Every structure is written in C-alpha cells, then in structure tokens.
Amino acid sequence: MADQIERTGPVVGSTTYVNSKLVERDYGFTLPNVAFLQVAINAHGEMNVPVPQLLEDMEHALTKIGADEGFAALSVGEPIDIEHRWVYLKIKPDGSTRNVGCKAFLHCLPRGIPELGITPGEISETEATFTVLRYRLVADGVELFSIDRVANVCKINGKDYAVDTEAML
C-alpha cells in the first residue's frame, strides 16, 4: 500500500486584526510573496541564481467590507501590525477531519487610502495594500518562516539564511 497522507481541505473561517483590534471576519487576504533576489552570473552563458539573503519587495493585500473604523485603521500614515488567523481542515486517510489553526503576523506600512466603490444594492468592498517589513507564519503551532527586513532576519523552515552573513559583518 502506498504511503497515505493527510489531505488539505477548505478554509473554514478567518479573522483579521489591526493593532490587536478585530477589523474583519471571514473575508479574504493575500499573504506576501517572498521572492529571493535573482542575480545573473556567467556559467556557460547567463544563469540566474537566487540569493535568499536578499529579498524583493514584499506586498500584502487584504479585502475589507465597508467604510468604518477598520477601514480607517488600514489607511493610517504610520506602521501597523496586522494579524490574520484562519482555520482549515485536514482530512485523514480514514476520512475523519481535524482543524488546523494558522496565524500570519505582519508589520506593514500602508500604501495609502484605497478606493472604495459604492453601488446601491451591493456590498462595498475595497482592497488595501501594504509594504511588509516583518512577516511571520505559524501553522499548526509550528513556525514556517520569520522574515524581518529591517533586522536582517530570514528564517525559513528552521534555517536562518541571514545569521552567517550577519556574523561576518
């Protein structure tokens, strides 16, 4: 018999907090893409090499419903802390399920006041965007990664890619 694994099921709920205050429930967000800087070197022609100690800009986006205090909290002209929590199902090989809790912690700079479209009879939603300075992801109680652009921290799956560089500087 082939090895059996737990399957990842749907997200069953989410919350978003800004500076420790609940601002949204059961709505979407997009966590940052963490892209290593690509450096071109000569190797029988040109070859791009990823450098995990140097990262491209990280952007965060989240969807917010309505114009309220939560909307205003996302639009301030100073750094903010955003925490996303969500729960998804893991489906075991025997068909039973278990809940898995995840948390993303972000320290961000709002990129401005997002547009807010208003149409009678429809929900008004907006997408706020941010420059991410610090990003930490925890799933099922395990830290998957911790990145701090200002403090030169880049830990991915338990390995710190910046510690050797920092020790030599």
Side-chain angles (χ1 to χ4, degrees):
M1 181 194 303
D3 290 336
Q4 296 185 3
I5 61 170
E6 290 184 341
R7 303 291 179 160
T8 300
V11 172
V12 296
S14 67
T15 53
T16 298
Y17 297 81
V18 174
N19 296 329
S20 301
K21 183 177 179 183
L22 180 66
V23 298
E24 197 61 78
R25 185 175 185 92
D26 294 332
Y27 226 76
F29 50 88
T30 302
L31 294 173
N33 177 40
V34 179
F36 304 139
L37 186 68
Q38 303 290 314
V39 178
I41 65 169
N42 289 325
H44 292 281
E46 187 175 286
M47 178 176 79
N48 287 325
V49 177
V51 181
Q53 295 91 337
L54 299 173
L55 303 175
E56 299 284 353
D57 189 37
M58 293 188 298
E59 179 181 297
H60 176 53
L62 68 91
T63 302
K64 176 74 182 91
I65 301 297
D68 57 16
E69 290 178 13
F71 175 75
L74 299 172
S75 307
V76 296
E78 57 195 43
I80 62 173
D81 291 312
I82 298 174
E83 180 181 342
H84 293 294
R85 301 176 188 176
W86 68 100
V87 176
Y88 70 90
L89 291 180
K90 276 285 194 175
I91 303 155
K92 298 179 183 182
D94 67 3
S96 61
T97 61
R98 70 181 182 92
N99 289 325
V100 175
C102 300
K103 294 182 180 182
F105 304 92
L106 301 110
H107 185 66
C108 304
L109 299 171
R111 290 191 171 177
I113 300 171
E115 66 182 11
L116 182 62
I118 308 298
T119 303
E122 294 182 9
I123 293 174
S124 61
E125 69 179 30
T126 189
E127 182 177 81
T129 58
F130 309 88
T131 296
V132 178
L133 303 174
R134 188 170 53 242
Y135 177 24
R136 182 172 172 249
L137 183 64
V138 177
D140 209 13
V142 177
E143 181 179 85
L144 302 181
F145 52 82
S146 179
I147 296 165
D148 189 325
R149 303 292 304 260
V150 178
N152 295 322
V153 173
C154 184
K155 294 179 186 175
I156 303 170
N157 200 27
K159 181 175 180 177
D160 190 340
Y161 288 90
V163 71
D164 290 344
T165 305
E166 286 299 305
M168 293 179 198
L169 296 176

